[in-house]
């Protein structure tokens, strides 16, 4: 999906989420775009890459993903490869369990609930109205293992801001 089509399609869900939670709709759209590749990789309406911790209750899917860790012995349901990419950084290609949803709305609602209820995002929520500061804060809190997560997310935030001006 092209970025403009993505923003137009998912804007109503992001706006509803912002009204309910105070989390910036720009941030929500940018994170959904990053995590799903502008909806190119969103099986089961999984727009935010939220992991399913147990892989047992039927609301999960086992998907190929990339993770980064500071050690080479992290366990996943299925490991494809582990490659050292820095002095103390390993890139993993693994299969892991992710949540799935019946609708895009379910994904947006669950994403906001995940951020609001997870204690590690408590400090981040203090800047939830500012998409750039919030991106830095959730990255610092460990939303993703990618060391460039915040930088990439902030670039997408700028793209989303430009598109929103025209809708």
């Amino acid at each position: 999906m092209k970025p403009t089509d993505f923003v137009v399609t998912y804007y109503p869900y992001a706006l509803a989420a912002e009204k309910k939670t105070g989390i910036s709709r720009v941030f929500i759209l940018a994170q959904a775009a990053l995590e799903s590749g502008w909806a190119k990789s969103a099986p089961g309406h999984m727009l935010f890459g939220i992991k399913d911790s147990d892989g047992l209750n039927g609301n999960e899917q086992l998907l190929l993903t990339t993770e980064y860790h500071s050690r080479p012995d992290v366990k996943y349901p299925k490991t494809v490869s582990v490659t050292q990419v820095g002095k103390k950084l390993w890139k993993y290609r693994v299969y892991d369990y992710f949540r799935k949803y019946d609708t895009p709305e379910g994904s947006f609602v669950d994403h906001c609930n995940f951020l609001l209820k997870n204690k590690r995002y408590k400090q981040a929520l203090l800047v939830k109205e500012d998409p750039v500061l919030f991106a830095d804060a959730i990255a610092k809190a460990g939303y993703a293992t990618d060391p460039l997560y915040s930088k990439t997310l902030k670039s997408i935030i700028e793209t989303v801001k430009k598109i929103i001006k025209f809708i």
Side-chain angles (χ1 to χ4, degrees):
M1 185 179 288
K2 292 180 181 178
T4 301
D5 296 333
F6 179 92
V7 171
V8 169
T9 299
Y10 295 110
Y11 184 84
Y13 303 112
L15 181 59
E18 179 185 71
K19 287 179 180 178
K20 181 179 177 185
T21 67
I23 298 170
S24 163
R25 65 186 174 269
V26 172
F27 170 83
I28 293 168
L29 285 166
Q31 190 175 35
L34 173 57
E35 292 289 340
S36 70
W38 298 99
K40 289 182 181 104
S41 179
H45 301 288
M46 188 221 25
L47 292 160
F48 295 96
I50 298 175
K51 300 272 180 86
D52 185 271
S53 59
D54 59 18
L56 299 173
N57 53 10
N59 69 338
E60 70 283 322
Q61 52 194 338
L62 190 61
L63 300 172
L64 182 64
T65 187
T66 301
E67 303 289 346
Y68 294 85
H69 295 285
S70 61
R71 57 183 226 257
D73 59 349
V74 177
K75 301 295 181 204
Y76 284 95
K78 182 178 177 185
T79 300
V80 175
S81 66
V82 179
T83 307
Q84 190 167 4
V85 294
K87 188 173 181 180
K88 292 185 178 185
L89 188 65
W90 282 263
K91 178 181 178 180
Y92 286 68
R93 290 293 289 159
V94 299
Y95 284 89
D96 205 356
Y97 288 101
F98 290 86
R99 295 180 187 178
K100 65 180 178 179
Y101 309 90
D102 293 331
T103 65
E105 180 182 24
S107 182
F108 279 81
V109 168
D110 188 48
H111 172 253
C112 287
N113 288 336
F114 177 80
L115 292 173
L116 292 171
K117 292 178 181 178
N118 194 319
K119 290 180 183 177
R120 73 178 169 184
Y121 301 117
K122 184 178 179 180
Q123 287 300 116
L125 290 168
L126 298 174
V127 293
K128 65 186 176 184
E129 299 87 7
D130 184 314
V132 172
L133 294 176
F134 196 58
D136 285 335
I138 68 144
K140 183 178 178 183
Y143 190 93
T145 61
D146 182 350
L148 299 175
Y149 191 78
S150 180
K151 180 179 179 181
T152 305
L153 185 52
K154 289 189 286 188
S155 173
I156 296 170
I157 285 168
E158 294 308 312
T159 300
V160 169
K161 283 180 180 177
K162 290 174 187 172
I163 295 168
I164 285 178
K165 288 180 183 179
F166 297 104
I167 59 172

Short mmCIF file of all heavy atoms in Angstrom, two decimals, residues 3 9 16 25 33 44 57 70 105-106 111 116 126 133-134 138 146 161:
data_model
loop_
_atom_site.label_atom_id
_atom_site.label_comp_id
_atom_site.label_asym_id
_atom_site.label_seq_id
_atom_site.Cartn_x
_atom_site.Cartn_y
_atom_site.Cartn_z
N PRO A 3 2.07 5.02 0.92
CA PRO A 3 1.91 5.76 2.18
C PRO A 3 0.62 6.60 2.25
O PRO A 3 -0.05 6.60 3.28
CB PRO A 3 3.17 6.63 2.24
CG PRO A 3 4.20 5.79 1.55
CD PRO A 3 3.45 5.15 0.41
N THR A 9 -6.55 5.19 4.75
CA THR A 9 -7.27 4.00 5.19
C THR A 9 -7.34 3.89 6.71
O THR A 9 -8.40 3.60 7.27
CB THR A 9 -6.60 2.73 4.62
OG1 THR A 9 -6.66 2.79 3.19
CG2 THR A 9 -7.29 1.46 5.11
N ALA A 16 -9.58 7.84 16.35
CA ALA A 16 -10.40 7.31 17.45
C ALA A 16 -9.53 6.92 18.63
O ALA A 16 -9.88 7.18 19.79
CB ALA A 16 -11.23 6.11 16.97
N ARG A 25 -2.18 10.70 17.09
CA ARG A 25 -2.58 9.92 15.91
C ARG A 25 -1.44 9.83 14.90
O ARG A 25 -1.32 8.84 14.20
CB ARG A 25 -3.85 10.50 15.28
CG ARG A 25 -3.68 11.89 14.71
CD ARG A 25 -5.03 12.45 14.23
NE ARG A 25 -4.92 13.83 13.81
CZ ARG A 25 -5.11 14.87 14.60
NH1 ARG A 25 -5.42 14.69 15.87
NH2 ARG A 25 -5.00 16.10 14.13
N ALA A 33 2.68 2.00 10.36
CA ALA A 33 3.36 1.95 9.06
C ALA A 33 4.71 1.23 9.17
O ALA A 33 5.04 0.37 8.34
CB ALA A 33 3.55 3.36 8.51
N GLY A 44 -3.34 -11.14 9.65
CA GLY A 44 -4.20 -11.09 10.84
C GLY A 44 -4.36 -9.67 11.36
O GLY A 44 -4.52 -9.48 12.56
N ASN A 57 -3.44 -19.62 22.95
CA ASN A 57 -4.89 -19.46 23.05
C ASN A 57 -5.62 -19.15 21.74
O ASN A 57 -6.78 -18.76 21.77
CB ASN A 57 -5.25 -18.41 24.11
CG ASN A 57 -4.52 -17.11 23.89
OD1 ASN A 57 -3.90 -16.90 22.85
ND2 ASN A 57 -4.59 -16.23 24.86
N SER A 70 21.91 -8.37 22.69
CA SER A 70 23.30 -8.17 23.10
C SER A 70 24.01 -9.48 23.41
O SER A 70 25.14 -9.47 23.88
CB SER A 70 23.36 -7.24 24.32
OG SER A 70 22.66 -7.84 25.39
N GLU A 105 -9.51 -2.31 13.41
CA GLU A 105 -9.90 -1.62 14.64
C GLU A 105 -9.41 -2.37 15.87
O GLU A 105 -8.90 -1.77 16.83
CB GLU A 105 -11.42 -1.45 14.70
CG GLU A 105 -11.88 -0.75 15.96
CD GLU A 105 -13.39 -0.64 16.04
OE1 GLU A 105 -14.09 -1.44 15.41
OE2 GLU A 105 -13.85 0.27 16.76
N GLY A 106 -9.52 -3.70 15.86
CA GLY A 106 -9.05 -4.51 16.98
C GLY A 106 -7.57 -4.32 17.23
O GLY A 106 -7.12 -4.28 18.38
N HIS A 111 -3.38 -2.13 20.59
CA HIS A 111 -2.12 -1.39 20.64
C HIS A 111 -2.17 -0.32 21.73
O HIS A 111 -1.25 -0.21 22.56
CB HIS A 111 -1.83 -0.78 19.27
CG HIS A 111 -0.68 0.16 19.25
ND1 HIS A 111 -0.84 1.52 19.15
CD2 HIS A 111 0.65 -0.06 19.34
CE1 HIS A 111 0.35 2.10 19.16
NE2 HIS A 111 1.28 1.18 19.27
N LEU A 116 -0.93 1.62 27.29
CA LEU A 116 -1.47 2.20 28.51
C LEU A 116 -1.32 1.29 29.73
O LEU A 116 -1.12 1.77 30.84
CB LEU A 116 -2.95 2.54 28.33
CG LEU A 116 -3.25 3.67 27.36
CD1 LEU A 116 -4.75 3.76 27.10
CD2 LEU A 116 -2.71 5.00 27.86
N LEU A 126 3.98 10.20 29.47
CA LEU A 126 4.03 11.61 29.87
C LEU A 126 4.19 12.54 28.67
O LEU A 126 3.88 13.73 28.75
CB LEU A 126 5.16 11.85 30.88
CG LEU A 126 5.05 11.09 32.20
CD1 LEU A 126 6.31 11.31 33.04
CD2 LEU A 126 3.80 11.50 32.96
N LEU A 133 8.86 12.86 20.56
CA LEU A 133 9.30 12.52 21.91
C LEU A 133 8.79 11.15 22.34
O LEU A 133 9.50 10.39 23.00
CB LEU A 133 8.86 13.59 22.91
CG LEU A 133 9.48 14.97 22.76
CD1 LEU A 133 8.88 15.95 23.76
CD2 LEU A 133 10.99 14.90 22.90
N PHE A 134 7.56 10.84 21.96
CA PHE A 134 6.98 9.54 22.30
C PHE A 134 7.73 8.42 21.60
O PHE A 134 7.97 7.35 22.19
CB PHE A 134 5.49 9.53 21.96
CG PHE A 134 4.72 8.42 22.61
CD1 PHE A 134 4.70 8.28 23.99
CD2 PHE A 134 3.99 7.52 21.86
CE1 PHE A 134 3.98 7.25 24.61
CE2 PHE A 134 3.27 6.50 22.45
CZ PHE A 134 3.26 6.35 23.83
N ILE A 138 9.29 5.39 23.78
CA ILE A 138 8.91 3.97 23.72
C ILE A 138 10.08 3.11 23.25
O ILE A 138 10.20 1.96 23.66
CB ILE A 138 7.64 3.70 22.88
CG1 ILE A 138 7.87 3.98 21.42
CG2 ILE A 138 6.44 4.42 23.43
CD1 ILE A 138 7.12 3.02 20.55
N ASP A 146 15.30 -3.39 17.64
CA ASP A 146 16.10 -2.73 16.59
C ASP A 146 16.78 -1.49 17.17
O ASP A 146 16.10 -0.58 17.66
CB ASP A 146 15.19 -2.35 15.43
CG ASP A 146 15.93 -1.69 14.27
OD1 ASP A 146 17.12 -1.34 14.41
OD2 ASP A 146 15.30 -1.52 13.21
N LYS A 161 3.07 13.16 8.85
CA LYS A 161 2.66 14.56 9.06
C LYS A 161 2.35 15.25 7.74
O LYS A 161 1.36 15.98 7.62
CB LYS A 161 3.77 15.34 9.78
CG LYS A 161 3.87 15.09 11.26
CD LYS A 161 5.02 15.93 11.83
CE LYS A 161 5.21 15.76 13.30
NZ LYS A 161 6.37 16.54 13.81
#
